[in-house]
Amino acid sequence: MMKQPFGTVYLLGAGPGAPDLITVRGMECLAKADVVIYDYLVNPVLLYRVNKLAELISLGDSEVGRRLSQEDVQAQMVEFARDGKTVVRLKGGDPFIFGRGGEESEALIKAGIPFEIVPGITAGSGASTYAGIPLTHREYSSAVLLATAHEDPKKQQSQLDWSAMASFRGTVVLYMGAERLFSICDSLIKAGMSGDTPAAVVVSGTLPNQKTISGTLKTIPEQFQQKGVASPAVIIIGPVTKLSERLQWFENKPLFGKSVVVTRPELQAQSFAAELRAQGAHVHMFPMIRIDPVEDYTLLDQVLKHLQHFDWIVFSSVNGVESFMKRLFEIGKDIRCIGNARLAAVGSTTSASLLDYGLVADVVPENFRSEALAETLADQVVGKRVLLARADRGRDVLPRLLRSFGAEVEEVSVYRNVDIECPDNRLRKMIETDTVDWITLTSPSIARSFVARYGDSLYQNPESKIRIASISPVTSQAAEKLGLEVNVEAEQYTLAGMIEAMIQDSLK
């Protein structure tokens, strides 16, 4: 019997915190991993990119509270690889910059395990960039010194040469030194560095709760202490830190630091969440519904096999397009079955979803709602056979209006909206403690599911500062009927319109 070949281990740098700063190569590795062993500082959003069948192993809540020692981690990587599995060792920052990647590489070499190092953006570079601090600058610094204030406790003596660091003519970047900031600054001053040297501490760099504290070597420890912030933090020392006030960009984003709850189904929420993060928001994913296949395909399959009988096919959502096409392909058919049928989409995102399959919508209303779609089709569907591909539940306004205009409408459920019944106590606690800024509602069914699960928590605090953002008047009406106060509503009934409404509200 042929021996199973060893799997490959990827020592992968996840970057400094923001999930979109991982490399393309890193994404490829996560997608094919059988096992992911990840550090506590890795952004959990990255775990959404992992193969759903992969085993996820967390190393605990902090370096001190690890469930596995470094030796155990290395042993597990070897064991999984010997079983033929693809292993990703996911680390914050870069594996070879204070990431113990060298030690793990040596352990893999000793065990004869094939491996690859996938670099990541190191915290010093990422945090400084997001704080508007260029580590090098023609007028201020032509060299960078990276050091860690958290050394191996087994060392007989520190390898940090404070005198050399104090006389370094460039930018000094210290990792993992927040808890020793007083001692670090004192050591550098005693070694000859001026107490007036500009300095900064960047806390939670690249994340929506980032804080940049600027001062001098003499003042920064007390400033940091007064702010009451903690690790993870990067200490930057040198004249370049003075540029932060002028070059700051990340903390100036319109939704910076705002805590936003996204309630859309998990798969549909990713692009929305990414755009919110791009505006500086801290995104929390709590789906209120999930998209499931229909329980019985009999009627849908019958319709799909006779699409040539319809004059129009109308799609009222992106989920409708994707579920329709998926089942069409599953039964061995393709878009040629649509024949001469014309296509209508309720909005731009639904139209874009059709385009993904090489189909151009013939009709998209200017106002992205069912009533507008029906009115746009009014003169074109008289006496025509219309197929409406939709969810198993929802408003009946579109088929009712189309019939009133003289169309012969056949409705078919292509997917199900299913409420996620079990409340998530994390969101309940956030609502009760008023630590959420925005809750986003993108459909009436999501509004109803949210109120059913969390309405009691929201209503019990009349002084709550939580704001509700709605995607459309229909969603707003459903929310308000349930007792919610809708604070902003998208002018264009799209996710981008929702974000714009939230931004405009924040500027008031």
Side-chain angles (χ1 to χ4, degrees), residues 226-437:
Q226 288 174 349
K227 291 287 184 180
V229 290
S231 300
V234 173
I235 304 163
I236 306 169
I237 303 168
V240 290
T241 63
K242 294 187 297 184
L243 297 172
S244 177
E245 185 175 351
R246 188 161 77 248
L247 303 184
Q248 173 58 250
W249 59 275
F250 181 54
E251 293 176 37
N252 293 335
K253 282 182 172 285
L255 295 179
F256 177 78
K258 298 295 184 184
S259 180
V260 180
V261 172
V262 172
T263 55
R264 285 169 64 79
E266 185 176 308
L267 293 178
Q268 284 76 34
Q270 298 301 323
S271 59
F272 184 36
E275 184 53 36
L276 284 166
R277 291 189 193 99
Q279 299 299 330
H282 188 186
V283 179
H284 306 275
M285 308 276 273
F286 291 104
M288 296 296 134
I289 63 173
R290 67 174 189 271
I291 305 303
D292 280 1
V294 294
E295 293 181 309
D296 185 348
Y297 282 112
T298 303
L299 177 58
L300 176 57
D301 289 353
Q302 184 179 359
V303 168
L304 292 174
K305 291 173 183 176
H306 298 91
L307 293 176
Q308 71 276 10
H309 294 163
F310 295 97
D311 301 298
W312 283 91
I313 302 174
V314 178
F315 295 95
S316 58
S317 70
V318 171
N319 290 320
V321 173
E322 294 178 350
S323 300
F324 180 97
M325 294 300 175
K326 182 175 184 290
R327 187 57 184 173
L328 186 66
F329 297 147
E330 286 174 349
I331 64 173
K333 305 291 184 179
D334 60 33
I335 59 174
R336 289 174 296 179
C337 296
I338 293 173
N340 294 321
R342 301 185 73 192
L343 305 176
V346 74
S348 57
T349 53
T350 305
S351 174
S353 183
L354 281 170
L355 200 58
D356 288 340
Y357 295 93
L359 299 169
V360 177
D362 297 286
V363 168
V364 182
E366 291 184 8
N367 192 333
F368 303 155
R369 55 189 301 190
S370 296
E371 291 85 348
L373 178 57
E375 290 168 7
T376 305
L377 289 169
D379 297 333
Q380 304 181 63
V381 296
V382 179
K384 303 295 185 181
R385 294 199 65 192
V386 177
L387 174 65
L388 175 56
R390 59 176 299 169
D392 64 326
R393 64 183 187 184
R395 296 195 307 152
D396 66 351
V397 63
L398 183 55
R400 178 168 49 79
L401 286 174
L402 291 174
R403 290 187 179 106
S404 74
F405 296 142
E408 184 183 342
V409 180
E410 182 167 348
E411 301 175 62
V412 63
S413 297
V414 294
Y415 67 96
R416 292 185 299 136
N417 272 333
V418 180
D419 290 335
I420 297 176
E421 296 180 359
C422 183
D424 191 314
N425 287 329
R426 293 174 301 164
L427 178 53
R428 185 178 294 281
K429 184 175 181 180
M430 290 167 66
I431 292 172
E432 291 174 351
T433 56
D434 215 23
T435 52
V436 174
D437 293 298

Side-chain angles (χ1 to χ4, degrees), residues 34-307:
D34 298 309
V35 180
V36 178
I37 304 173
Y38 62 97
D39 284 339
Y40 77 103
L41 284 178
V42 166
N43 195 313
V45 173
L46 291 176
L47 302 180
Y48 284 106
R49 317 285 175 85
V50 177
N51 171 5
K52 294 296 183 184
L53 299 178
E55 181 178 353
L56 302 178
I57 300 173
S58 169
L59 296 185
D61 296 329
S62 67
E63 194 70 27
V64 176
R66 272 193 172 187
R67 288 195 285 270
L68 296 175
S69 67
Q70 183 63 31
E71 291 73 21
D72 290 334
V73 171
Q74 292 166 188
Q76 281 211 352
M77 288 193 298
V78 170
E79 183 180 348
F80 283 123
R82 282 178 173 162
D83 287 339
K85 294 182 177 180
T86 298
V87 181
V88 168
R89 172 71 177 94
L90 189 60
K91 303 165 169 290
D94 181 278
F96 272 14
I97 300 181
F98 311 123
R100 307 191 75 168
E103 299 166 60
E104 293 176 356
S105 300
E106 290 176 330
L108 295 169
I109 290 171
K110 185 177 180 180
I113 303 296
F115 68 94
E116 179 181 322
I117 312 295
V118 183
I121 297 174
T122 185
S125 173
S128 62
T129 299
Y130 272 56
I133 300 173
L135 294 183
T136 63
H137 190 287
R138 281 192 173 191
E139 294 182 19
Y140 300 104
S141 173
S142 297
V144 180
L145 186 157
L146 304 180
T148 176
H150 183 77
E151 297 185 273
D152 186 344
K154 297 177 183 177
K155 287 181 181 178
Q156 295 293 326
Q157 59 183 22
S158 172
Q159 289 183 327
L160 292 177
D161 187 333
W162 296 108
S163 296
M165 204 180 296
S167 61
F168 183 70
R169 297 174 64 82
T171 306
V172 175
V173 181
L174 284 160
Y175 291 60
M176 297 173 278
E179 295 178 359
R180 299 185 56 232
L181 189 55
F182 277 95
S183 172
I184 289 167
C185 293
D186 184 59
S187 296
L188 287 170
I189 291 171
K190 286 180 177 177
M193 184 177 280
S194 170
D196 294 326
T197 303
V201 179
V202 184
V203 183
S204 299
T206 77
L207 294 173
N209 57 332
Q210 173 180 300
K211 285 185 174 59
T212 304
I213 302 163
S214 300
T216 65
L217 199 62
K218 182 169 52 181
T219 65
I220 200 74
E222 190 170 338
Q223 290 174 275
F224 179 77
Q225 188 178 62
Q226 288 174 349
K227 291 287 184 180
V229 290
S231 300
V234 173
I235 304 163
I236 306 169
I237 303 168
V240 290
T241 63
K242 294 187 297 184
L243 297 172
S244 177
E245 185 175 351
R246 188 161 77 248
L247 303 184
Q248 173 58 250
W249 59 275
F250 181 54
E251 293 176 37
N252 293 335
K253 282 182 172 285
L255 295 179
F256 177 78
K258 298 295 184 184
S259 180
V260 180
V261 172
V262 172
T263 55
R264 285 169 64 79
E266 185 176 308
L267 293 178
Q268 284 76 34
Q270 298 301 323
S271 59
F272 184 36
E275 184 53 36
L276 284 166
R277 291 189 193 99
Q279 299 299 330
H282 188 186
V283 179
H284 306 275
M285 308 276 273
F286 291 104
M288 296 296 134
I289 63 173
R290 67 174 189 271
I291 305 303
D292 280 1
V294 294
E295 293 181 309
D296 185 348
Y297 282 112
T298 303
L299 177 58
L300 176 57
D301 289 353
Q302 184 179 359
V303 168
L304 292 174
K305 291 173 183 176
H306 298 91
L307 293 176

